Every structure is written in structure tokens, then in C-alpha cells.
């Protein structure tokens, strides 16, 4: 997970660096979707990815969202500098994945036209997750 995020941030950042200022996107929405905990990264660690994310957020105003299954998404997102307001748990099944993509499609449209996520951006994901949470 960390290697994928770190490499992607670097790749997007380098691509933007080679673009003329007027051709660079004014907005970047970076969505991390994971179905488990970090366990295999070799190139990037938590601290490095957190610094990279914080840099992109503060200098370039990138927006980051963290969607996690089988984990505490808010706790895992916090490790890389993404707030709980930008994290959501989901079920890693067809319904949960379809809900993620439907909600994110709506939010991408909103973000493109308003420069922000809607205040209740994750309500649909939370509703699906909570309605199907296993009773303990």
C-alpha cells in the first residue's frame, strides 16, 4: 500500500512538473482504496508517505480520501496524515465496492464544479457499511 501511494504521488508530481503552469490541473483528488492493512511495502514507510501527503496538501492543495475495508480506516488514514473526515470504512464485496464508486463518482463531479467535497460526502458509504456491519 505505502509503495503504491508513494510511487503514485511521485509519478503525478513529476508529470505536473513537466507541464506548463497553465496546463497543470488546478485540483487533484487522490483516492486510496484498500482492502487490508499495510504489510508488504519496501520502498516507502509510514513517515515518508505522511510527509509526502502533507506536502501535496499544503503546497498544491491536493485532496486525499482513504477508503478501507477490514481495517479501522480512520486510524490507518491518520498514520499518513489523512483526517478522519476524509476516511470511510466499507465492505470489500460487490455491494460495498459499487457503493464506493457511486459515491466517489458523485463527489468527483461535485469537486470539479465547486472546489470542495460535499459536507456529507461519505454518508452513502457509511450507511451501507453500518447497515451491514456484523453484529457481535
Amino acid at each position: 500500500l505505502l509503495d503504491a501511494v508513494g510511487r503514485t504521488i511521485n509519478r503525478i508530481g513529476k508529470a505536473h512538473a513537466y507541464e506548463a503552469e497553465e496546463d497543470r490541473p488546478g485540483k487533484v483528488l487522490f483516492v486510496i482504496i484498500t482492502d487490508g492493512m499495510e504489510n508488504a511495502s519496501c520502498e516507502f514507510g509510514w513517515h515518508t508517505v505522511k510527509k509526502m501527503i502533507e506536502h501535496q496538501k499544503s503546497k498544491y492543495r491536493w485532496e486525499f480520501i482513504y477508503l478501507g475495508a477490514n481495517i479501522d480506516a480512520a486510524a490507518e488514514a491518520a498514520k499518513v496524515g489523512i483526517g478522519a473526515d476524509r476516511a470511510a470504512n466499507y465492505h470489500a464485496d460487490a455491494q460495498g465496492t459499487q457503493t464506493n464508486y457511486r459515491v466517489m463518482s458523485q463527489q468527483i463531479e461535485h469537486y470539479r464544479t465547486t472546489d470542495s467535497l460535499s459536507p456529507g460526502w461519505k454518508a452513502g458509504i457509511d450507511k451501507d457499511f453500518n447497515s451491514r456491519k456484523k453484529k457481535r
Side-chain angles (χ1 to χ4, degrees):
L1 174 67
L2 297 175
D3 285 353
V5 171
R7 288 178 190 144
T8 304
I9 289 172
N10 282 341
R11 189 173 302 127
I12 294 169
K14 286 178 185 173
H16 290 178
Y18 290 108
E19 294 175 329
E21 183 71 34
E22 63 273 6
D23 294 333
R24 287 187 194 140
K27 306 172 195 176
V28 173
L29 178 60
F30 195 109
V31 181
I32 300 165
I33 302 175
T34 181
D35 65 353
M37 289 190 277
E38 164 59 35
N39 62 4
S41 292
C42 302
E43 186 177 346
F44 294 89
W46 291 104
H47 179 72
T48 302
V49 170
K50 183 175 184 175
K51 286 183 74 167
M52 293 171 76
I53 288 174
E54 288 172 347
H55 174 76
Q56 297 302 337
K57 286 176 12 180
S58 66
K59 185 165 184 177
Y60 300 108
R61 296 184 38 219
W62 287 18
E63 183 73 57
F64 287 82
I65 291 177
Y66 193 103
L67 305 175
N70 308 318
I71 56 175
D72 179 340
E76 295 299 308
K79 292 180 184 178
V80 292
I82 300 171
D85 63 327
R86 295 293 186 255
N89 293 306
Y90 76 96
H91 291 288
D93 59 15
Q95 182 176 332
T97 302
Q98 287 174 347
T99 301
N100 274 353
Y101 282 91
R102 185 185 74 255
V103 167
M104 290 315 307
S105 176
Q106 294 164 349
Q107 290 311 306
I108 290 166
E109 180 179 356
H110 189 270
Y111 186 66
R112 289 180 59 132
T113 59
T114 67
D115 201 26
S116 67
L117 295 173
S118 65
W121 74 268
K122 63 181 181 171
I125 297 170
D126 287 345
K127 181 179 178 183
D128 177 66
F129 181 77
N130 292 326
S131 71
R132 300 186 304 122
K133 197 184 302 187
K134 290 185 168 70
K135 307 285 189 235
R136 293 180 183 192

